[in-house]
Amino acid sequence: MPDRARKRAIRALAAELGVAYSVAARLHAAQNPAARPHADAPAASVDEHRAWMSDARANRTFHARVHDTRLAADLPLGRAEHLVRRFPPLRAITAAGPLYAGEGRETIIAMLYAVLRHECPALSPPADELAWAAELGEEAAVDIACAGLDRAARHLLDQGRWQLWARVETALTAGETDTDRRVRDAAITLGRELRSTSLRGSLEGVRHILDAVLVEPFGAPAPGTRIRVDGREGTVIGAEWERSGPPAGFRVRVDSEPLARVVPAAELDGGLDTGTAPEPDLIPS
C-alpha cells in the first residue's frame, strides 16, 4: 500500500475508534501485515492483535464511547452490531475450538430482538430510558436497561431450530407492514438476509455473545474463560439460565474429555485467569 494511502487508512481508523494515531497505526499494521512500512518488523500474532484492540477500546474518547452506547441502545439492528463488535471471535486455542464465531451472528441477534418485539413488546425498554442510558457513555447502563430483553433472546436459542426459524419468519412478515418505519425497514432488511443467507452455523456464536453479556453483572465466567473442574483444566463454552438470577450452570469442555459437560455453578473450582476470554469492551474508570 502506498505510504499516503496507508496514512489515510490509519487516520480513518483512529477517527472510527477514537484513539491516538500511534495506536491506530499498530492496529492497521496487525490487520495488514503486507502494508507495514518496515519489512523486517515482526508480524503481530493473533493474541497481540486482540490485545491492541482491547487497548484501543479501553482508551476511547468519551465521544467514541457515547457513539458506541447509542449504537447499543438502537434496537434491533444497532444493538446487534454493537454486541458483535464488543465480543469478537475467539480463535481455537484449546480443545473447545473457536468461540463467538459465525458470519451471521449480527443478523441472528437482530432477528431474536425482532421476534421479541413482535411477541412480547413489553420486554423492550422504554425509549426514554434507553436514550438516557446511551448518553452516559457506559455500556453497563444500556446492558441493565436491556437485561430482560437479552435474557429472553438467549432463551429463544434453547428451543428447536425449526421452531425458532418459524417464529423469526412470522415476526419479520408482521414487521414488514408495521406502522413504525424503523421497525418496517429493519424487518425488510432482516427478511432479505433470512432468505438469502445460511445462518445455522452462527447460532453457537450468538449463544456465546449473549451468555457473555448476561454473565457480566454476576461476575461469572464468560465463554472462553479457562477454569478448573474437579482439579482438571477446561474452557467455559456456555451458560445455563433460569428465568431469573445468575447462571445455574456452565457448559464446560474439559481438556482431557472429548465432549462438553454441564457443571453446576456451585461446583466450579475457580477461574484460571489466563486471558483467553474475549475482552468485554473495557471502559476506563
Side-chain angles (χ1 to χ4, degrees):
M1 178 184 295
D3 193 54
R4 286 186 179 179
R6 182 181 66 84
K7 290 180 178 179
R8 282 198 300 270
I10 292 171
R11 284 195 295 269
L13 184 60
E16 177 185 353
L17 296 177
V19 299
Y21 180 91
S22 59
V23 175
R26 289 195 300 167
L27 292 172
H28 183 268
Q31 295 169 344
N32 304 274
R36 291 197 307 273
H38 303 292
D40 57 347
S45 69
V46 174
D47 287 341
E48 289 174 339
H49 185 203
R50 177 177 288 276
W52 288 345
M53 289 296 291
S54 297
D55 287 344
R57 295 185 69 80
N59 289 284
R60 288 170 297 166
T61 64
F62 179 73
H63 174 77
R65 286 157 46 196
V66 170
H67 173 79
D68 285 346
T69 50
R70 286 173 178 169
L71 186 68
D74 182 17
L75 291 163
L77 300 179
R79 182 157 183 80
E81 179 183 348
H82 163 81
L83 290 177
V84 168
R85 288 184 181 181
R86 180 172 164 186
F87 298 102
L90 181 63
R91 66 192 179 98
I93 55 178
T94 68
L99 303 174
Y100 303 86
E103 294 297 322
R105 292 164 296 145
E106 182 177 328
T107 299
I108 294 174
I109 294 173
M111 287 177 176
L112 297 177
Y113 291 144
V115 169
L116 294 171
R117 185 193 183 280
H118 173 65
E119 297 181 354
C120 309
L123 279 175
S124 297
D128 57 347
E129 179 182 347
L130 276 178
W132 176 83
E135 295 308 309
L136 297 177
E138 297 287 348
E139 284 156 351
V142 182
D143 290 347
I144 291 171
C146 294
L149 189 68
D150 289 338
R151 186 181 285 250
R154 175 60 182 82
H155 278 299
L156 286 176
L157 297 174
D158 290 335
Q159 64 184 273
R161 292 187 178 185
W162 292 113
Q163 183 182 0
L164 173 61
W165 295 130
R167 293 172 72 176
V168 167
E169 188 168 4
T170 298
L172 297 183
T173 299
E176 289 176 357
T177 58
D178 197 280
T179 56
D180 187 326
R181 183 180 60 82
R182 288 169 56 85
V183 173
R184 188 168 62 250
D185 290 348
I188 292 172
T189 298
L190 294 172
R192 190 180 304 120
E193 291 291 323
L194 180 64
R195 291 185 291 270
S196 63
T197 308
S198 177
L199 300 171
R200 288 178 296 176
S202 300
L203 285 170
E204 280 301 312
V206 171
R207 283 190 180 90
H208 300 150
I209 290 173
L210 291 175
D211 282 343
V213 73
L214 288 169
V215 299
E216 280 188 8
F218 302 104
T225 303
R226 296 286 288 165
I227 62 169
R228 291 188 181 90
V229 178
D230 299 330
R232 290 180 291 176
E233 297 182 3
T235 304
V236 173
I237 60 173
E240 300 288 315
W241 298 95
E242 303 293 345
R243 288 296 170 185
S244 61
F250 298 89
R251 292 171 57 225
V252 178
R253 175 68 186 275
V254 176
D255 294 348
S256 58
E257 298 178 0
L259 300 175
R261 62 159 95 169
V262 176
V263 180
E267 295 182 12
L268 294 184
D269 294 344
L272 298 178
D273 192 25
T274 60
T276 59
E279 292 292 336
D281 202 15
L282 302 175
I283 300 294
S285 57

